[in-house]
Amino acid sequence: MSFPVLKIDSAMGNPPLLLGHRGARGEKSIPENTLASFDRALADGCDGFEFDVRLSGDGQAVVCHDPTTRGMRIAECPAQELPLPLLRDVLTRYQKTAFLDVELKVAGLEAATAELLRELPPARGFVVSSFLPECLLTLSALDATIPLGLICETRDQLNRWRDLPVEYVIPHHRLVRQGLVAELKAGGKKTLVWTVNATADMKKFAAGGVQGMISDYPKRLAASAGRKA
């Protein structure tokens, strides 16, 4: 099947995609990677949010950044015992309202993720992202129409973008040197920068033609683009 895609190209005059990091990670009164945090990112004016997915002991896709929660190892516990949302919960709740950046933290989630996205395709677009090239290659083999993104925190990781079947390259903001955005665009890739928390950087990257930004502070990110919550 062909998935819906939110058209973004700030270099052509369209505004960049604005995403909250783990929802609204900077809002300390709300736990990150929760439905409440995702709701906050949208209420604060973002187009969507990034969130993390892991594999439970019974093979369910659950939402959590760390390998443990409340002293329980996620990979060893059934999903019903974990106080965590399921990927299905997120896709169902935000299917019509948000662009979703679904980050796979571990291998083994690829088939379940692809199946859920076929069942519940986000109408405003999405990307399945990972630091792990093997996850991206497996997903591409399962369904070449799924938009994929390579997350990069080091120069070595960034240098792999040409070798992988990705639509998005997702560098940490410290990696975005002069000319990188143009280089990626020439290679047919979209640039989605994380984690952009300073207002000056938000404006700089938007002016520099990135196709999207991820921030711990969705309200600040939206305000930098002139949006009102």
Side-chain angles (χ1 to χ4, degrees):
M1 67 176 292
S2 178
F3 289 104
V5 177
L6 180 65
K7 299 298 183 183
I8 51 171
D9 190 346
S10 60
M12 297 299 292
N14 294 331
L17 186 68
L18 306 182
L19 304 178
H21 187 211
R22 308 181 200 171
R25 187 186 182 207
E27 181 56 66
K28 299 306 180 185
S29 65
I30 304 173
E32 65 181 39
N33 273 326
T34 61
L35 301 181
S37 190
F38 303 153
D39 286 348
R40 182 60 177 267
L42 297 178
D44 282 346
C46 280
D47 300 296
F49 49 87
E50 177 270 352
F51 63 103
D52 305 289
V53 182
R54 288 184 173 274
L55 194 64
S56 70
D58 59 348
Q60 297 292 307
V62 297
V63 178
C64 192
H65 179 272
D66 297 332
T68 62
T69 182
R70 299 186 186 179
M72 296 180 286
R73 290 197 63 81
I74 292 169
E76 297 174 358
C77 296
Q80 64 180 7
E81 294 181 7
L82 296 167
L84 301 171
L86 300 176
L87 175 57
R88 175 180 289 277
D89 298 334
V90 177
L91 294 179
T92 299
R93 185 178 181 91
Y94 303 102
Q95 186 179 14
K96 297 181 180 179
T97 58
F99 183 100
L100 303 180
D101 177 353
V102 185
E103 181 183 344
L104 303 190
K105 302 298 289 185
V106 296
L109 283 161
E110 300 90 349
T113 300
E115 182 177 349
L116 283 168
L117 287 168
R118 282 192 291 268
E119 180 184 345
L120 298 163
R124 297 200 65 205
F126 70 97
V127 55
V128 181
S129 62
S130 186
F131 284 100
L132 306 173
E134 61 269 27
C135 286
L136 301 174
L137 289 167
T138 299
L139 274 165
S140 180
L142 286 168
D143 188 337
T145 70
I146 294 176
L148 302 177
L150 173 65
I151 310 173
C152 313
E153 194 168 17
T154 68
R155 187 67 58 189
D156 286 344
Q157 291 169 337
L158 180 60
N159 288 339
R160 295 207 59 180
W161 69 265
R162 293 182 183 84
D163 304 323
L164 295 167
V166 297
E167 179 177 337
Y168 292 82
V169 178
I170 310 175
H172 190 274
H173 67 89
R174 290 192 299 266
L175 292 175
V176 185
R177 54 174 171 76
Q178 186 174 7
L180 177 63
V181 176
E183 180 184 352
L184 292 173
K185 185 177 181 182
K189 311 301 181 185
K190 298 183 177 77
T191 306
L192 181 56
V193 187
W194 67 285
T195 301
V196 187
N197 288 339
T199 299
D201 287 339
M202 295 168 183
K203 293 182 177 180
K204 176 184 72 175
F205 289 131
V210 303
Q211 282 72 52
M213 291 177 281
I214 303 170
S215 178
D216 290 334
Y217 300 97
K219 190 172 184 178
R220 185 183 305 170
L221 184 61
S224 76
R227 300 186 193 179
K228 295 182 179 180

